[in-house]
Amino acid sequence: MVYESSEGGVTGEQQRRAETPAEENGALGVFVVIGKQLKLLRERAGLSQREFGDLVGYGPDQISAMERGVRTPRPEFLRKADEILGAGGLLTAVIPEVEEAMAKARTRHPEWYRSYAALEAEAVELHFYANQGVPGLLQTEDYARAVFSRRRPLLDEETIERRVADRLARQQVLEQWPLPMCSYVLEEAVLLRPIGGPEVHKDQLRQLLRIGSRRNVEIQVMPSAPTEHPNMDGPFNLLTPKKRAQVAYVEVQGYPRLITEPEDVRKIVDRYGIMRAMALTPTESLALIEKLLGER
């Protein structure tokens, strides 16, 4: 079973327009209006996107996406935002419409990606190993834009912006209830590569700190110093969909493979377990990221 990932390359046939949940269920206007109200209330409160994001536990890129109507504001966010911005119930009043739209929405991805995205969206466990760049679920908006902008062959601007919006929407899987258990093992080199430039790099490190502090997410760094490594075959994802067997996903140079054979999945799970044992603990890893940011 093989599916293409939004992490990798695409062919001409695969460059079809991604449908958003709002477009599919007719709720586009709802999210656009909510976004405009949110922006107006934030600006009235004299808060920048970063300042407001710090108060509600989101990054500035996520606030930007919600204000533009390309990211669904979750009910718990709307409740907190309503209180912080003194909206007087303006934001909480639309929660029933948001919940209805979320229940109807399919994945915000092209048709060719929906099979994998559907597994990811319903996963109760998500585990990732990355050795080149920050995985998509952890990326900031600017980091994602830098990744897509530098892809070869080049993508047009419309496609880049669509892919960025899709990636931000995909990140909501980390916040859905019940919370999925997530873990990441990132090679130290991933933290050192300043994709997008110094400021984008710093914001991305701050994003790792924010997400890594969530109770359902553990981020571990694999130091470059060890002379042994259990996995030299490249990055992979491990997913456990609800009430289904665990699967693995790998991709090399745009060629994806969804692995469902139990014995093959077991081998990757074994490698991942060894890597987690060899990596820095989550606490040590976040401390290293703070050190790279100059905050320690």
Side-chain angles (χ1 to χ4, degrees), residues 143 189-198 200-201:
Y143 187 101
V190 172
L191 304 181
L192 301 178
R193 183 170 292 117
I195 290 177
V200 172
H201 182 226

Side-chain angles (χ1 to χ4, degrees), residues 141-152:
E141 180 174 356
D142 288 338
Y143 187 101
R145 184 172 290 108
V147 169
F148 287 124
S149 296
R150 289 158 177 76
R151 173 161 294 166
R152 295 295 186 274

Side-chain angles (χ1 to χ4, degrees), residues 74 76 120-123 172-180 216:
R74 302 189 70 80
E76 56 269 25
E120 185 179 77
E122 67 175 26
Q172 294 179 126
V173 68
L174 299 180
E175 305 162 16
Q176 66 190 10
W177 189 262
L179 293 171
N216 65 316

Side-chain angles (χ1 to χ4, degrees), residues 103-238:
K104 293 180 179 178
R106 295 183 293 178
T107 58
R108 181 192 167 102
H109 297 283
E111 182 180 342
W112 50 264
Y113 181 55
R114 286 184 183 148
S115 295
Y116 173 80
L119 290 176
E120 185 179 77
E122 67 175 26
V124 295
E125 287 188 29
L126 294 154
H127 306 291
F128 303 85
Y129 166 67
N131 61 356
Q132 294 294 330
V134 174
L137 293 185
L138 300 178
Q139 291 178 7
T140 66
E141 180 174 356
D142 288 338
Y143 187 101
R145 184 172 290 108
V147 169
F148 287 124
S149 296
R150 289 158 177 76
R151 173 161 294 166
R152 295 295 186 274
L154 295 173
L155 302 174
D156 61 66
E157 291 301 319
E158 181 183 358
T159 300
I160 291 171
E161 291 308 309
R162 191 165 65 241
R163 296 286 175 79
V164 171
D166 290 346
R167 181 153 293 179
L168 295 179
R170 177 181 158 218
Q171 294 173 353
Q172 294 179 126
V173 68
L174 299 180
E175 305 162 16
Q176 66 190 10
W177 189 262
L179 293 171
M181 301 310 297
C182 309
S183 72
Y184 290 84
V185 172
L186 308 179
E187 291 290 341
E188 187 175 1
V190 172
L191 304 181
L192 301 178
R193 183 170 292 117
I195 290 177
E199 291 307 311
V200 172
H201 182 226
K202 288 182 180 179
D203 281 344
Q204 181 59 69
L205 293 180
R206 294 188 186 100
Q207 172 92 324
L208 295 179
L209 290 177
R210 281 193 296 270
I211 298 180
S213 65
R214 294 178 181 175
R215 57 185 176 137
N216 65 316
V217 179
E218 291 186 339
I219 295 177
Q220 294 181 253
V221 177
M222 174 69 80
S224 299
T227 57
E228 297 181 5
H229 199 295
N231 178 59
M232 302 300 290
D233 291 341
F236 57 78
N237 304 351
L238 288 166

